Amino acid sequence: CEGDDAYESQTGEPVAVDVENCDTTTDEDGKGGFPVSSHTYTGAPSRAITTNQHTTELMLALGLQDSMVGSAYIDDFILPEYLEAYDNVPVLAEKYPSKEVILASEPDFIFAGFASAFRETAAGPQPDLKKLGIATYLSLAVCRDEDDSMQDVYDDISNISRIFEVPKRGDALIASMKSDIESLTSKIEPSGAPIRVFLYDSDEDAPYTSVCCAMFTDLIESVEAKNIFDDVDGTWATVNWEEVIERDPQVVILTEAGWSTVQEKLDFLNTSEALSNVTAVKNQRFVTINFSSLTPGIRNPEAIRTLAEGIHPGSFK
């Protein structure tokens, strides 16, 4: 802890911090229940592991790389401004590290972005880790009953900065993100009814897309647009092309991801006779975005910029 950013303890003992977080109960597929309860963290962790890209970048944005002994599961690339710090943190695995690899790093804290990080074939259940003296934290967007939103991100930043005893860094990061978003959204000129948008992630036979309760819906609504599948329960789902045609998106958002590139999706959309009359395809209204920008984290303001400029180009001339 540095300077006036750290908490003060009048007794000299480690400061206990209580935050709301998840208790996962997952099966082998990482599915299960996510009850929320109060968790107590005593003393700032000094040997943390992050198991997903958005958790890694959040830690780096708070300047906590010196408190990390490992990271894992990067979806695409680390933001350039954090690359130097990231290069000093050991990469434990391309995807989830095994329990043996994790334990060999002797962590005192694991910060996960998805519940699947705590399945038996990965880090293991949270109660088992707690018995080993390893505290855990799961991104709140995973377990809250409400739709994913920027508030989840702000609460994660606040909680992590408090757990690591750097609350002022958290406050500053949240304020900066809110300012960036307000600066962007204030430029959008109302266009009447929200523009209909379809997010195309992957698969040609039946498209995989973001639905009702995912962060994408919150981001797209912030730029005066509408996710055409916001009436489908869940966060991500497989739909069908007949529904896409019927709902006729005016703009298609294409995710750049290792499992499905933008060029692959463009080639399919532009050669599909069935989709040729969809408004977005007919008018070539496509917007490209990195998949990592759609997970709840510090990239979301930049995602809003990409969406706003792509959907409302006239407002950003």
Side-chain angles (χ1 to χ4, degrees):
C1 305
E2 300 178 359
D4 62 358
D5 195 36
Y7 290 112
E8 295 182 1
S9 171
Q10 297 185 4
T11 64
E13 296 295 321
V15 176
V17 176
D18 294 320
V19 305
E20 178 187 83
N21 201 230
C22 312
D23 298 299
T24 59
T25 54
T26 62
D27 58 23
E28 282 299 304
D29 295 322
K31 298 178 181 178
F34 312 111
V36 177
S37 65
S38 178
H39 288 235
T40 299
Y41 302 84
T42 304
S46 61
R47 300 186 61 80
I49 289 175
T50 53
T51 62
N52 300 99
Q53 178 162 336
H54 52 298
T55 59
T56 298
E57 290 185 333
L58 192 155
M59 289 281 287
L60 298 178
L62 290 171
L64 294 170
Q65 59 272 12
D66 291 341
S67 298
M68 298 172 64
V69 294
S71 67
Y73 221 140
I74 302 303
D75 293 312
D76 40 54
F77 62 91
I78 292 293
L79 289 169
E81 57 265 41
Y82 304 125
L83 188 56
E84 183 177 353
Y86 172 74
D87 285 343
N88 290 312
V89 179
V91 176
L92 303 183
E94 182 179 348
K95 294 189 175 181
Y96 285 133
S98 67
K99 193 178 307 183
E100 291 73 22
V101 169
I102 288 173
L103 294 180
S105 299
E106 301 181 346
D108 57 6
F109 184 82
I110 297 176
F111 180 16
F114 301 107
S116 51
F118 296 123
R119 61 191 177 193
E120 286 285 357
T121 53
Q126 287 174 289
D128 292 355
L129 293 166
K130 186 176 182 179
K131 291 176 183 177
L132 296 173
I134 303 172
T136 59
Y137 184 94
L138 179 62
S139 290
L140 287 170
V142 172
C143 60
R144 281 181 169 164
D145 291 335
E146 300 89 352
D147 300 350
D148 293 354
S149 71
M150 285 305 303
Q151 190 58 52
D152 295 321
V153 179
Y154 300 145
D155 288 346
D156 279 338
I157 293 171
S158 178
N159 287 344
I160 292 298
S161 66
R162 290 174 61 217
I163 291 168
F164 282 83
E165 299 183 4
V166 289
K168 289 187 179 179
R169 297 185 202 176
D171 292 344
L173 179 57
I174 292 168
S176 175
M177 292 172 68
K178 287 183 175 180
S179 176
D180 288 346
I181 292 171
E182 170 60 27
S183 175
L184 285 167
T185 56
S186 65
K187 296 177 182 177
I188 298 174
E189 298 176 3
S191 56
I195 292 177
R196 301 184 306 279
V197 173
F198 167 58
L199 182 136
Y200 183 17
D201 176 79
S202 56
D203 295 337
E204 294 181 4
D205 292 336
Y208 192 62
T209 187
S210 184
V211 294
C212 148
C213 310
M215 176 60 79
F216 174 73
T217 298
D218 184 72
L219 299 179
I220 210 70
E221 288 176 352
S222 74
V223 298
E224 303 294 329
K226 174 183 173 60
N227 179 356
I228 63 170
F229 288 106
D230 63 5
D231 60 337
V232 177
D233 290 339
T235 53
W236 293 83
T238 296
V239 294
N240 61 66
W241 289 116
E242 289 75 15
E243 290 179 295
V244 174
I245 294 168
E246 181 180 346
R247 298 177 187 219
D248 191 29
Q250 296 163 281
V251 176
V252 173
I253 310 299
L254 305 170
T255 60
E256 184 64 73
W259 55 89
S260 178
T261 68
V262 165
Q263 190 58 54
E264 289 170 342
K265 289 187 277 279
L266 276 174
D267 290 344
F268 171 74
L269 292 171
N270 286 323
T271 57
S272 170
E273 184 176 349
L275 298 172
S276 61
N277 286 322
V278 170
T279 298
V281 177
K282 188 163 48 178
N283 295 333
Q284 293 292 286
R285 292 290 309 278
F286 303 118
V287 177
T288 296
I289 195 165
N290 289 310
F291 175 82
S292 56
S293 297
L294 300 178
T295 55
I298 63 166
R299 289 180 178 237
N300 293 150
E302 188 57 34
I304 290 175
R305 176 185 297 278
T306 300
L307 295 170
E309 293 178 347
I311 294 170
H312 304 281
S315 297
F316 294 87
K317 289 182 178 179

